[in-house]
Amino acid sequence: LRKNPMKPRIVALLALCAGPVFADSLSLDLNNDALRVNYAHDFSRNYTSDFAWIHVKDLGKSNDSGNTFTGGINLRQKINNDVSATIGGKVVFQQHDKYPDGTAMAVGVGVRFTPPANRSVGISGSLYYAPNVLSFGDMNNYRELELRGEYAFSDQLTGYVGYRNNRADYDYNGGSVNSVKLYDGVMVGGEFHF
C-alpha cells in the first residue's frame, strides 16, 4: 500500500481549526477629510492587539496630506457587567507630504459603558498620550482622543458615530509647529466581527 503524504497535512490543518477561537474585527470609518481602517485581534481573554492605517487630506491651513500607521497592545478588564476598561500602549508612525515625519510610543486608557437596559448600545472613549521623551524624529507630544456611540446591529456588525482628535507638535524649519491635526472631526463607521 502507498502512504498518502497529504494525510498528516490534513490532520494538522484540522487540529489548527479546532483550536481555541479568538475574536477578530475589522473597522472602517471616515469623514470628509479622513479614512481609517483598523484590525483588532483578541489573543487572549484579557489582551487585544490592534493595527490601524489612517489617511488624511487637508491637514489644516497647509493643505498637507498624510498617513498614520499604528500598532498596539491593550489589557482589557471588565469592571462590572456594564463597564470595561483598557490600559496599554501603541507605536505611532506619522508620514506627511509637507511636514516632517515622526514616531511616538503612546500610553493610554479607555472606558466602555453598555447600559443594562439595552445591550446593543455602547458608549466608549479612549485617550493616548506620548510626551516628548516618548516621541522621536521631529514629532513631539502626540495626543489622541476618541469618543463614540455604538449600536450592534448583529453579532457580526456594529455601527458607530463619534469624534476623533489626533494631534502632535513638530520641529519644522528650525522652529516648531504646535497642534498639527492628524485627524480631527466627526466620523461614521462600521465594525465587522469575525
Side-chain angles (χ1 to χ4, degrees):
L1 291 173
R2 250 176 80 181
K3 191 173 180 182
N4 186 350
M6 289 300 291
K7 196 172 189 178
R9 292 181 185 152
I10 292 171
V11 171
L13 179 63
L14 290 174
L16 284 174
C17 292
V21 175
F22 297 110
D24 290 1
S25 67
L26 180 68
S27 60
L28 178 125
D29 57 65
L30 55 98
N31 66 20
N32 194 43
D33 299 320
L35 167 72
R36 178 177 179 258
V37 178
N38 188 79
Y39 170 75
H41 174 72
D42 293 346
F43 56 90
S44 80
R45 195 181 87 172
N46 293 329
Y47 289 95
T48 183
S49 61
D50 68 90
F51 306 92
W53 167 65
I54 303 167
H55 177 71
V56 180
K57 286 184 131 180
D58 188 23
L59 288 168
K61 300 173 191 168
S62 69
N63 291 325
D64 190 14
S65 295
N67 294 290
T68 302
F69 302 92
T70 67
I73 296 177
N74 289 297
L75 167 66
R76 182 179 48 233
Q77 287 294 157
K78 194 171 185 177
I79 308 294
N80 59 37
N81 287 337
D82 307 326
V83 179
S84 62
T86 59
I87 185 168
K90 65 171 68 176
V91 175
V92 178
F93 172 72
Q94 172 64 38
Q95 171 272 322
H96 290 282
D97 291 343
K98 294 180 183 174
Y99 286 123
D101 300 339
T103 305
M105 294 184 349
V107 293
V109 296
V111 175
R112 186 172 195 287
F113 171 70
T114 305
N118 188 349
R119 292 290 180 197
S120 296
V121 175
I123 299 166
S124 65
S126 63
L127 177 66
Y128 284 86
Y129 178 66
N132 280 340
V133 72
L134 295 176
S135 301
F136 309 99
D138 293 314
M139 181 187 281
N140 300 311
N141 296 322
Y142 174 80
R143 300 161 311 271
E144 178 180 317
L145 168 72
E146 180 180 313
L147 303 168
R148 72 186 206 184
E150 307 169 351
Y151 183 79
F153 294 101
S154 70
D155 288 342
Q156 292 81 29
L157 176 64
T158 300
Y160 57 90
V161 126
Y163 172 76
R164 181 178 296 115
N165 184 303
N166 297 18
R167 294 177 180 266
D169 304 333
Y170 287 89
D171 296 327
Y172 183 63
N173 285 342
S176 63
V177 180
N178 294 326
S179 291
V180 174
K181 293 187 286 186
L182 309 176
Y183 191 127
D184 185 33
V186 173
M187 85 283 201
V188 176
E191 186 170 336
F192 306 92
H193 308 278
F194 47 94

